Amino acid sequence: MSESSEYAPSPWEWVRDQVEEYEASGGTRANTLRDTGLPIIVVTTRGARSGVIRKTPLMRVEHEGEYALVASMGGAPKHPVWYFNLLAHPDDVWVQDGPSPFAVSIREVTGADKALWWERSVVAYPPYAEYQAKTERQIPVFIASRR
Ligand code: F42
C-alpha cells in the first residue's frame, strides 16, 4: 500500500484549490498565502495510514537552499496530520518551490538549531509567533534539504 501513487486532495477547499493552481501554473500563480503576498511552497507527503499522496502548502521559509516546514496549523491545539506523515514516511517527501517538485531529506530540529530556524520562520511569516503564543504544544519544525 505504501507504494500507492493515488493523490488524495486536501478536504479543505481553499487548500486544495491553491495546490491545484500552483501546480497547474508551475508555481507562477497561487504562490502566496491569500492576500498576505507572502510566498508559499507545496510539500508532498505520503499518508501515514492510507499510504496515498498528500499535498500541503506551507509558508516558504528558505535559507541557503534548505526549507523549514513549520507545523503551526494556525496555532491549533493539535499537530497537523502531515506532521505524522513526515514521521511515518520520511523518505517520501518532495518540495515544490517553482516549476517542479524535488525530493528532499528531512530532519526535525530541536534546541539551538530549532531556535535559529524558528527565528528565520518568524521573519518569513510573523504570525508564527502568535500561533506559538496561543497553543500549549511546541510547534514542530522540520528542515527539508534537496537530495
Ligand atoms: N499549515 C501549517 O501548518 N503551516 C504553514 O506554514 C501553512 C501555510 C499555508 C499556506 C497556504 C495554505 O493554503 C495553507 C497553509 N497551511 C499551513 C495549511 C496546510 O496546508 C494544511 O492544510 C494544514 O496544516 C492542515 O494539515 P493536515 O495534514 O492536518 O490537513 C488535514 C485537513 C487533512 O488533510 N486531513 C485529511 C483528511 O482526509 O481528513 C487527512 C490527511 C492525511 O494525511 N491522513 C493520513 C493518511 O494516512 O492519509 C493519516 C490519517 C491518520 O489519521 O493518521
Side-chain angles (χ1 to χ4, degrees), residues 44-140:
T44 298
T45 62
R46 193 177 284 289
R49 294 187 195 174
S50 64
V52 303
I53 298 292
R54 306 278 186 184
K55 294 181 184 175
T56 306
L58 297 178
M59 300 318 292
R60 180 179 186 276
V61 182
E62 186 271 350
H63 179 78
E64 295 184 351
E66 294 187 307
Y67 297 83
L69 314 179
V70 181
S72 57
M73 200 161 74
K78 286 189 181 168
H79 296 332
V81 177
W82 60 263
Y83 168 80
F84 301 100
N85 295 344
L86 286 181
L87 292 180
H89 298 290
D91 297 328
D92 270 339
V93 186
W94 294 265
V95 165
Q96 185 167 354
D97 178 26
S100 48
F102 47 88
V104 292
S105 53
I106 54 155
R107 64 180 196 278
E108 190 170 353
V109 280
T110 56
D113 211 10
K114 173 157 182 203
L116 185 60
W117 276 99
W118 182 257
E119 219 174 279
R120 290 173 183 148
S121 302
V122 171
V123 168
Y125 185 62
Y128 281 144
E130 293 155 34
Y131 298 165
Q132 182 58 84
K134 83 176 196 197
T135 181
E136 283 176 19
R137 71 184 170 97
Q138 282 298 311
I139 293 178

XYZ file of all heavy atoms in Angstrom, residues 44-140:
772
model
N 4.855 17.560 -0.586
C 4.157 16.297 -0.840
C 4.610 15.271 0.179
O 5.817 15.103 0.402
C 4.463 15.798 -2.264
O 3.972 16.763 -3.192
C 3.788 14.465 -2.551
N 3.642 14.609 0.809
C 3.955 13.541 1.772
C 3.121 12.318 1.413
O 2.226 12.384 0.572
C 3.591 13.955 3.221
O 2.185 14.196 3.319
C 4.334 15.202 3.657
N 3.437 11.222 2.097
C 2.637 10.003 1.935
C 1.857 9.784 3.234
O 2.429 9.880 4.328
C 3.577 8.834 1.645
C 2.871 7.609 1.158
C 3.838 6.500 0.826
N 4.557 6.660 -0.430
C 4.030 6.558 -1.650
N 2.741 6.346 -1.793
N 4.771 6.690 -2.725
N 0.565 9.498 3.107
C -0.283 9.329 4.288
C 0.229 8.233 5.209
O 0.545 7.126 4.754
N 0.312 8.545 6.498
C 0.854 7.599 7.477
C 0.074 6.294 7.489
O 0.654 5.211 7.601
C 0.830 8.231 8.865
N -1.244 6.397 7.356
C -2.062 5.177 7.395
C -2.496 4.744 6.010
O -2.441 3.569 5.684
C -3.310 5.402 8.235
C -2.962 5.629 9.679
C -4.196 5.685 10.534
N -3.841 6.261 11.821
C -4.682 6.570 12.769
N -5.977 6.355 12.602
N -4.270 7.087 13.904
N -2.954 5.710 5.208
C -3.538 5.367 3.904
C -2.473 5.026 2.876
O -2.737 4.277 1.940
C -4.349 6.554 3.383
O -3.468 7.644 3.164
N -1.273 5.603 3.007
C -0.224 5.407 2.009
C -0.427 6.245 0.754
O 0.396 6.199 -0.157
N -1.489 7.052 0.687
C -1.721 7.852 -0.521
C -0.936 9.157 -0.465
O -0.424 9.554 0.589
C -3.231 8.143 -0.759
C -4.022 6.852 -0.855
C -3.792 9.068 0.317
N -0.839 9.803 -1.611
C -0.083 11.053 -1.741
C -0.924 12.229 -1.238
O -2.080 12.389 -1.626
C 0.283 11.278 -3.236
C 1.180 10.147 -3.759
C 0.909 12.638 -3.461
C 2.554 10.107 -3.174
N -0.300 13.063 -0.383
C -0.956 14.255 0.168
C -0.122 15.476 -0.196
O 1.112 15.393 -0.179
C -1.017 14.166 1.694
C -1.646 12.912 2.235
C -3.140 13.020 2.220
N -3.791 11.887 2.856
C -5.124 11.745 2.874
N -5.907 12.634 2.294
N -5.657 10.707 3.461
N -0.781 16.591 -0.482
C -0.035 17.809 -0.828
C -0.462 18.952 0.079
O -1.655 19.220 0.229
C -0.261 18.160 -2.299
C 0.350 17.091 -3.193
C 0.190 17.354 -4.660
C 0.758 16.165 -5.440
N 0.540 16.286 -6.883
N 0.527 19.598 0.671
C 0.287 20.592 1.718
C 1.041 21.876 1.411
O 2.277 21.880 1.416
C 0.792 20.035 3.067
O 0.185 18.755 3.304
C 0.470 20.957 4.212
N 0.331 22.984 1.160
C 1.037 24.257 1.040
C 1.527 24.707 2.417
O 0.805 24.558 3.410
C -0.033 25.230 0.521
C -1.277 24.438 0.287
C -1.126 23.134 1.002
N 2.740 25.231 2.470
C 3.295 25.794 3.707
C 3.970 27.115 3.355
O 4.329 27.332 2.195
C 4.341 24.852 4.323
C 3.857 23.477 4.781
C 5.035 22.668 5.306
C 2.763 23.589 5.838
N 4.200 27.960 4.357
C 4.910 29.200 4.089
C 6.339 28.863 3.650
O 6.927 27.871 4.086
C 4.942 30.099 5.328
C 3.564 30.514 5.843
S 2.375 30.975 4.560
C 3.100 32.493 3.947
N 6.873 29.724 2.779
C 8.233 29.498 2.265
C 9.236 30.124 3.227
O 9.358 31.348 3.312
C 8.378 30.134 0.880
C 9.750 29.944 0.259
C 9.783 30.590 -1.122
N 11.038 30.326 -1.819
C 12.145 31.028 -1.654
N 12.165 32.042 -0.819
N 13.233 30.705 -2.320
N 9.937 29.240 3.957
C 10.986 29.680 4.889
C 12.276 29.042 4.388
O 12.567 27.882 4.689
C 10.692 29.227 6.332
C 11.776 29.740 7.270
C 9.308 29.685 6.791
N 13.010 29.793 3.555
C 14.182 29.225 2.876
C 15.451 29.872 3.406
O 15.482 31.068 3.694
C 14.032 29.484 1.371
C 15.088 28.838 0.508
C 16.317 29.694 0.281
O 16.293 30.914 0.637
O 17.319 29.170 -0.215
N 16.482 29.053 3.575
C 17.787 29.586 3.982
C 18.869 28.703 3.363
O 18.935 27.507 3.646
C 17.917 29.592 5.508
C 19.234 30.101 5.990
N 19.550 31.447 6.025
C 20.336 29.444 6.418
C 20.786 31.589 6.475
N 21.289 30.387 6.721
N 19.688 29.294 2.506
C 20.782 28.579 1.832
C 20.324 27.256 1.225
O 20.964 26.208 1.420
C 21.946 28.370 2.809
C 22.566 29.708 3.218
C 23.793 29.560 4.114
O 24.089 28.431 4.566
O 24.442 30.600 4.357
N 19.181 27.295 0.557
C 18.706 26.109 -0.178
C 17.946 25.103 0.662
O 17.457 24.108 0.126
N 17.852 25.352 1.977
C 17.050 24.465 2.828
C 15.752 25.187 3.200
O 15.680 26.410 3.183
C 17.813 24.091 4.095
C 19.046 23.238 3.848
C 19.661 22.758 5.152
O 19.927 23.616 6.034
O 19.885 21.552 5.290
N 14.748 24.385 3.557
C 13.426 24.939 3.868
C 12.971 24.472 5.244
O 13.077 23.282 5.561
C 12.392 24.451 2.851
C 12.676 24.904 1.443
C 13.580 24.208 0.638
C 12.058 26.038 0.921
C 13.860 24.632 -0.656
C 12.329 26.470 -0.365
C 13.230 25.764 -1.159
O 13.507 26.187 -2.432
N 12.422 25.396 6.046
C 11.769 24.993 7.300
C 10.320 24.654 6.989
O 9.638 25.388 6.262
C 11.833 26.131 8.305
N 9.859 23.533 7.518
C 8.455 23.128 7.404
C 7.872 23.297 8.800
O 8.215 22.540 9.720
C 8.341 21.670 6.933
C 9.242 21.262 5.749
C 9.036 19.790 5.396
C 9.000 22.155 4.542
N 7.029 24.319 8.976
C 6.552 24.700 10.311
C 5.134 24.164 10.511
O 4.188 24.588 9.833
C 6.584 26.244 10.462
C 6.113 26.657 11.856
C 7.993 26.776 10.198
N 5.004 23.225 11.467
C 3.718 22.527 11.669
C 2.805 23.331 12.591
O 2.374 22.877 13.653
C 3.972 21.120 12.220
N 2.508 24.554 12.163
C 1.784 25.510 13.026
C 0.283 25.304 13.017
O -0.368 25.437 14.054
C 2.088 26.932 12.554
O 1.734 27.075 11.193
N -0.259 25.049 11.852
C -1.707 24.940 11.657
C -2.448 26.033 12.439
O -3.374 25.736 13.211
C -2.206 23.548 12.030
C -3.548 23.276 11.393
S -3.984 21.554 11.302
C -4.398 21.188 12.968
N -2.019 27.266 12.254
C -2.708 28.415 12.852
C -2.733 28.412 14.375
O -3.576 29.068 14.977
N -1.830 27.657 15.008
C -1.806 27.615 16.473
C -2.877 26.698 17.061
O -3.211 26.811 18.246
N -3.392 25.793 16.250
C -4.383 24.813 16.735
C -3.757 23.945 17.832
O -2.531 23.801 17.892
C -4.835 23.931 15.573
N -4.593 23.354 18.726
C -4.043 22.566 19.836
C -3.326 21.285 19.415
O -2.484 20.782 20.147
C -5.265 22.242 20.701
C -6.463 22.620 19.909
C -6.044 23.552 18.821
N -3.654 20.763 18.213
C -3.022 19.505 17.768
C -2.111 19.739 16.580
O -2.348 20.649 15.784
C -4.117 18.526 17.321
C -4.890 17.921 18.466
C -5.777 16.831 17.909
C -6.605 16.185 19.004
N -7.657 15.331 18.457
N -1.112 18.856 16.442
C -0.253 18.919 15.261
C -1.092 18.625 14.013
O -2.017 17.800 14.071
C 0.852 17.858 15.336
C 1.819 18.044 16.472
N 2.108 19.277 17.020
C 2.582 17.146 17.147
C 3.007 19.117 17.992
N 3.299 17.835 18.099
N -0.738 19.241 12.888
C -1.422 18.861 11.646
C -1.103 17.404 11.289
O -0.062 16.878 11.696
C -0.830 19.828 10.615
C 0.456 20.319 11.216
C 0.300 20.263 12.697
N -1.984 16.795 10.526
C -1.789 15.380 10.167
C -0.503 15.177 9.364
O 0.185 14.167 9.518
C -3.023 14.856 9.392
C -2.799 13.420 8.962
C -4.270 14.966 10.235
N -0.147 16.159 8.534
C 1.047 15.980 7.696
C 2.309 15.795 8.538
O 3.267 15.156 8.090
C 1.217 17.098 6.664
C 1.371 18.502 7.200
C 0.389 19.434 7.334
C 2.588 19.144 7.646
N 0.915 20.612 7.846
C 2.251 20.456 8.040
C 3.917 18.739 7.737
C 3.205 21.357 8.539
C 4.865 19.628 8.244
C 4.505 20.916 8.628
N 2.308 16.320 9.777
C 3.452 16.116 10.680
C 3.688 14.613 10.888
O 4.821 14.125 10.839
C 3.168 16.826 12.016
C 4.116 16.459 13.131
C 5.370 17.040 13.219
C 3.754 15.516 14.096
C 6.247 16.701 14.236
C 4.629 15.178 15.117
C 5.876 15.772 15.176
O 6.737 15.421 16.182
N 2.588 13.881 11.088
C 2.704 12.432 11.324
C 3.066 11.694 10.032
O 3.732 10.658 10.077
C 1.409 11.898 11.953
C 1.100 12.567 13.258
C 0.177 13.591 13.351
C 1.811 12.215 14.411
C -0.071 14.244 14.550
C 1.573 12.866 15.628
C 0.625 13.876 15.692
N 2.626 12.244 8.917
C 3.010 11.635 7.633
C 4.528 11.736 7.433
O 5.175 10.788 6.965
C 2.292 12.318 6.470
C 0.790 12.125 6.512
O 0.285 11.259 7.227
N 0.063 12.931 5.752
N 5.081 12.887 7.812
C 6.540 13.066 7.679
C 7.288 12.065 8.561
O 8.294 11.483 8.146
C 6.954 14.481 8.097
C 6.649 15.637 7.165
C 7.179 16.934 7.768
C 7.259 15.434 5.807
N 6.792 11.871 9.779
C 7.453 10.926 10.693
C 7.352 9.496 10.163
O 8.305 8.716 10.256
C 6.810 10.980 12.087
C 7.011 12.255 12.895
C 6.300 12.135 14.245
C 8.497 12.544 13.121
N 6.184 9.156 9.602
C 5.959 7.771 9.151
C 6.692 7.457 7.853
O 7.156 6.338 7.661
C 4.457 7.532 8.976
N 6.781 8.450 6.955
C 7.386 8.211 5.632
C 8.395 9.310 5.290
O 8.213 10.072 4.340
C 6.302 8.138 4.547
C 5.336 7.022 4.726
N 5.683 5.695 4.555
C 4.038 7.018 5.080
C 4.638 4.926 4.791
N 3.624 5.699 5.116
N 9.489 9.385 6.075
C 10.448 10.480 5.866
C 11.182 10.401 4.525
O 11.754 11.404 4.078
C 11.432 10.319 7.035
C 11.293 8.899 7.474
C 9.871 8.502 7.187
N 11.153 9.233 3.887
C 11.869 9.107 2.616
C 10.992 9.392 1.411
O 11.439 9.255 0.268
C 12.473 7.693 2.490
C 13.503 7.454 3.571
O 14.172 8.429 3.967
O 13.618 6.310 4.036
N 9.755 9.752 1.662
C 8.792 10.023 0.585
C 8.307 11.457 0.677
O 7.107 11.709 0.843
C 7.575 9.097 0.730
C 7.755 7.802 -0.020
O 8.588 7.777 -0.945
O 7.066 6.829 0.313
N 9.222 12.399 0.603
C 8.840 13.805 0.762
C 9.433 14.622 -0.400
O 10.605 14.441 -0.749
C 9.345 14.377 2.117
C 8.810 15.789 2.336
C 8.937 13.474 3.280
N 8.605 15.496 -0.978
C 9.026 16.374 -2.066
C 8.627 17.801 -1.728
O 7.615 18.020 -1.041
C 8.346 15.997 -3.384
C 8.738 14.664 -3.917
C 9.718 14.398 -4.850
C 8.172 13.397 -3.567
N 9.782 13.051 -5.074
C 8.860 12.412 -4.322
C 7.165 12.990 -2.688
C 8.560 11.054 -4.207
C 6.868 11.646 -2.574
C 7.563 10.689 -3.330
N 9.422 18.739 -2.241
C 9.103 20.163 -2.087
C 8.973 20.769 -3.471
O 9.786 20.476 -4.358
C 10.215 20.888 -1.286
C 10.088 22.408 -1.424
C 10.164 20.489 0.194
N 7.959 21.605 -3.670
C 7.868 22.383 -4.895
C 7.984 23.855 -4.539
O 7.165 24.391 -3.790
C 6.560 22.103 -5.642
C 6.536 22.831 -6.992
C 5.437 22.366 -7.932
O 4.726 21.394 -7.644
N 5.287 23.061 -9.047
N 9.019 24.497 -5.085
C 9.248 25.927 -4.892
C 9.598 26.476 -6.272
O 10.754 26.712 -6.581
C 10.397 26.146 -3.897
C 10.699 27.637 -3.704
O 9.788 28.455 -3.913
O 11.851 27.972 -3.356
N 8.573 26.583 -7.115
C 8.812 26.955 -8.511
C 8.237 25.925 -9.450
O 7.236 25.282 -9.121
N 8.864 25.724 -10.610
C 8.258 24.934 -11.674
C 7.970 23.467 -11.351
O 6.963 22.935 -11.788
C 9.255 25.018 -12.826
C 10.231 26.068 -12.458
C 10.123 26.359 -11.010
N 8.864 22.794 -10.615
C 8.621 21.360 -10.412
C 9.148 20.885 -9.056
O 10.093 21.465 -8.506
C 9.250 20.546 -11.540
O 10.554 20.976 -11.745
N 8.549 19.808 -8.538
C 8.955 19.326 -7.217
C 10.302 18.596 -7.249
O 10.679 18.019 -8.268
C 7.845 18.349 -6.823
C 7.010 18.136 -8.020
C 7.433 19.052 -9.107
N 11.004 18.629 -6.132
C 12.247 17.862 -5.990
C 12.191 17.076 -4.679
O 11.530 17.495 -3.719
C 13.483 18.773 -6.049
C 13.405 20.005 -5.193
C 13.819 19.968 -3.865
C 12.896 21.199 -5.694
C 13.742 21.100 -3.062
C 12.807 22.346 -4.888
C 13.233 22.287 -3.580
N 12.885 15.921 -4.663
C 12.904 15.060 -3.477
C 13.777 15.706 -2.409
O 14.815 16.297 -2.715
C 13.455 13.696 -3.841
N 13.352 15.584 -1.167
C 14.125 16.155 -0.059
C 14.335 15.102 1.028
O 13.567 14.153 1.148
C 13.417 17.380 0.578
C 13.391 18.558 -0.382
C 12.004 17.029 1.051
N 15.407 15.294 1.802
C 15.528 14.547 3.050
C 15.120 15.524 4.151
O 15.269 16.744 4.000
C 16.948 14.020 3.253
O 17.847 15.074 3.123
N 14.560 14.990 5.228
C 14.052 15.876 6.270
C 14.630 15.497 7.625
O 14.976 14.334 7.870
C 12.511 15.838 6.348
C 12.011 14.400 6.514
C 11.871 16.496 5.157
C 10.677 14.351 7.182
N 14.711 16.508 8.485
C 15.098 16.276 9.879
C 14.295 17.228 10.750
O 14.025 18.364 10.348
C 16.605 16.477 10.070
C 17.085 17.896 9.818
C 18.603 18.029 10.024
N 19.025 19.421 10.159
C 19.248 20.250 9.150
N 19.108 19.859 7.903
N 19.645 21.501 9.384
N 13.896 16.746 11.932
C 13.196 17.628 12.865
C 14.253 18.319 13.711
O 15.206 17.671 14.151
C 12.220 16.824 13.753
C 11.319 17.746 14.561
C 10.176 17.027 15.281
O 9.970 15.815 15.067
O 9.484 17.704 16.070
N 14.123 19.621 13.916
C 15.139 20.335 14.686
C 14.665 20.597 16.115
O 13.477 20.776 16.365
C 15.566 21.665 14.011
C 16.555 21.421 12.898
C 14.368 22.460 13.512
N 15.653 20.608 17.029
C 15.384 20.868 18.452
C 16.486 21.805 18.965
O 17.470 22.063 18.266
C 15.439 19.557 19.283
O 16.716 18.956 19.063
C 14.339 18.581 18.895
N 16.319 22.287 20.183
C 17.372 23.061 20.855
C 17.786 24.305 20.088
O 16.945 25.017 19.528
N 19.097 24.540 20.050
C 19.619 25.771 19.445
C 19.322 25.828 17.943
O 19.037 26.894 17.387
C 21.120 25.854 19.681
N 19.379 24.663 17.307
C 19.098 24.591 15.879
C 17.654 25.023 15.616
O 17.362 25.788 14.695
C 19.302 23.129 15.440
C 19.779 23.015 14.010
O 20.127 24.065 13.428
O 19.783 21.887 13.490
N 16.749 24.548 16.467
C 15.339 24.934 16.305
C 15.174 26.431 16.558
O 14.448 27.109 15.826
C 14.440 24.145 17.251
C 13.029 24.684 17.188
C 11.978 23.758 17.606
C 10.617 24.432 17.428
N 9.598 23.847 18.271
N 15.844 26.942 17.596
C 15.714 28.367 17.928
C 16.120 29.231 16.722
O 15.451 30.210 16.386
C 16.557 28.706 19.148
N 17.213 28.817 16.077
C 17.698 29.558 14.916
C 16.690 29.516 13.774
O 16.349 30.551 13.182
C 19.030 28.927 14.470
C 19.781 29.599 13.343
C 20.146 31.031 13.727
C 21.058 28.801 13.031
N 16.172 28.313 13.490
C 15.199 28.169 12.398
C 13.872 28.820 12.755
O 13.146 29.308 11.893
C 15.017 26.694 12.033
C 16.071 26.226 11.082
C 17.209 25.528 11.366
C 16.095 26.449 9.657
N 17.934 25.298 10.218
C 17.275 25.857 9.169
C 15.247 27.094 8.770
C 17.609 25.876 7.814
C 15.576 27.125 7.417
C 16.752 26.523 6.958
N 13.522 28.851 14.035
C 12.272 29.494 14.450
C 12.339 30.996 14.167
O 11.399 31.603 13.665
C 11.972 29.218 15.927
C 10.676 29.822 16.339
C 10.488 30.968 17.058
C 9.359 29.354 15.980
N 9.137 31.241 17.189
C 8.434 30.256 16.533
C 8.882 28.255 15.245
C 7.050 30.105 16.384
C 7.501 28.108 15.094
C 6.613 29.024 15.666
N 13.521 31.575 14.478
C 13.735 32.991 14.201
C 13.563 33.281 12.709
O 12.882 34.227 12.321
C 15.175 33.318 14.616
C 15.369 34.651 15.272
C 16.812 34.752 15.746
O 17.123 34.210 16.823
O 17.625 35.357 15.019
N 14.159 32.433 11.882
C 14.037 32.615 10.422
C 12.579 32.477 9.988
O 12.112 33.186 9.104
C 14.868 31.551 9.686
C 16.351 31.767 9.830
C 17.130 30.598 9.234
N 18.554 30.787 9.436
C 19.427 29.808 9.606
N 19.038 28.543 9.567
N 20.693 30.075 9.787
N 11.874 31.553 10.639
C 10.479 31.301 10.269
C 9.617 32.520 10.589
O 8.756 32.912 9.788
C 9.944 30.076 11.020
O 10.751 28.945 10.732
N 9.853 33.106 11.744
C 9.053 34.267 12.151
C 9.382 35.497 11.287
O 8.500 36.306 10.992
C 9.235 34.553 13.663
C 8.582 35.875 14.058
C 8.656 33.408 14.488
N 10.618 35.590 10.839
C 10.963 36.676 9.910
C 10.180 36.492 8.605
O 9.601 37.433 8.056
C 12.497 36.719 9.641
C 12.826 37.644 8.475
C 13.243 37.153 10.897
N 10.119 35.242 8.130
C 9.425 34.974 6.867
C 7.916 35.156 7.011
O 7.241 35.609 6.084
C 9.741 33.551 6.394
N 7.394 34.768 8.167
C 5.937 34.794 8.368
C 5.656 35.151 9.832
O 5.510 34.264 10.694
C 5.341 33.433 7.999
C 3.832 33.422 8.057
C 3.074 34.251 7.230
C 3.148 32.586 8.939
C 1.684 34.260 7.282
C 1.760 32.575 8.993
C 1.037 33.418 8.167
O -0.331 33.420 8.219
N 5.579 36.457 10.145
C 5.454 36.911 11.539
C 4.327 36.255 12.353
O 4.514 36.028 13.557
C 5.275 38.423 11.395
C 6.019 38.758 10.131
C 5.764 37.595 9.208
N 3.168 35.906 11.761
C 2.112 35.290 12.585
C 2.511 33.967 13.259
O 1.840 33.554 14.219
C 0.963 35.059 11.589
C 1.163 36.120 10.548
C 2.659 36.241 10.402
N 3.588 33.320 12.832
C 4.016 32.096 13.538
C 4.211 32.381 15.033
O 3.951 31.521 15.875
C 5.337 31.566 12.967
C 5.241 30.792 11.671
C 6.252 30.898 10.712
C 4.190 29.899 11.419
C 6.209 30.184 9.523
C 4.144 29.182 10.232
C 5.153 29.323 9.282
O 5.105 28.604 8.126
N 4.706 33.596 15.365
C 4.944 33.939 16.781
C 3.625 33.934 17.554
O 3.544 33.408 18.674
C 5.625 35.302 16.878
N 2.573 34.492 16.923
C 1.248 34.493 17.583
C 0.715 33.077 17.710
O 0.092 32.728 18.716
C 0.240 35.298 16.750
C 0.531 36.773 16.673
C -0.078 37.404 15.415
O -1.160 36.969 14.973
O 0.559 38.327 14.870
N 0.950 32.264 16.711
C 0.456 30.877 16.750
C 1.098 30.124 17.922
O 0.431 29.385 18.630
C 0.756 30.132 15.444
C 0.113 30.698 14.200
C 0.549 30.311 12.931
C -0.931 31.621 14.274
C -0.030 30.812 11.777
C -1.509 32.138 13.123
C -1.060 31.735 11.878
O -1.630 32.235 10.736
N 2.421 30.331 18.105
C 3.096 29.641 19.209
C 2.570 30.147 20.553
O 2.404 29.372 21.494
C 4.617 29.818 19.123
C 5.373 29.094 20.212
C 5.106 27.584 20.220
O 5.708 26.821 19.492
N 4.170 27.117 21.049
N 2.281 31.454 20.631
C 1.798 32.034 21.896
C 0.424 31.505 22.271
O 0.083 31.415 23.446
C 1.775 33.557 21.792
N -0.379 31.142 21.264
C -1.750 30.746 21.587
C -1.947 29.244 21.786
O -3.057 28.819 22.108
C -2.729 31.338 20.577
C -2.927 30.606 19.290
C -4.019 31.333 18.484
C -4.546 30.455 17.371
N -5.285 31.185 16.344
N -0.892 28.438 21.623
C -1.049 26.996 21.836
C -0.066 26.491 22.883
O 1.034 27.047 23.028
C -0.868 26.200 20.520
O -1.053 24.816 20.795
C 0.496 26.410 19.886
N -0.481 25.460 23.617
C 0.419 24.911 24.639
C 1.445 23.964 24.045
O 2.476 23.701 24.649
C -0.398 24.203 25.722
C -1.020 25.241 26.630
C -1.925 24.667 27.680
O -1.818 23.451 27.960
O -2.732 25.438 28.205
N 1.140 23.413 22.865
C 2.122 22.496 22.264
C 3.297 23.299 21.718
O 3.157 24.481 21.371
C 1.474 21.665 21.154
C 1.129 22.430 19.910
C 0.414 21.574 18.894
N -0.115 22.398 17.818
C 0.477 22.599 16.644
N 1.595 21.978 16.352
N -0.068 23.381 15.734
N 4.460 22.662 21.641
C 5.599 23.263 20.968
C 5.425 22.992 19.484
O 5.314 21.825 19.072
C 6.905 22.628 21.462
C 7.352 23.145 22.820
C 7.643 24.637 22.799
O 8.351 25.134 21.938
N 7.055 25.360 23.750
N 5.369 24.032 18.677
C 5.161 23.843 17.231
C 6.409 23.198 16.628
O 7.501 23.754 16.722
C 4.841 25.192 16.547
C 3.477 25.698 17.043
C 4.900 25.071 15.036
C 3.058 27.049 16.497
N 6.253 22.012 16.018
C 7.425 21.331 15.454
C 7.931 22.002 14.175
O 7.149 22.573 13.422
C 6.898 19.924 15.106
C 5.566 19.802 15.773
C 5.034 21.197 15.898
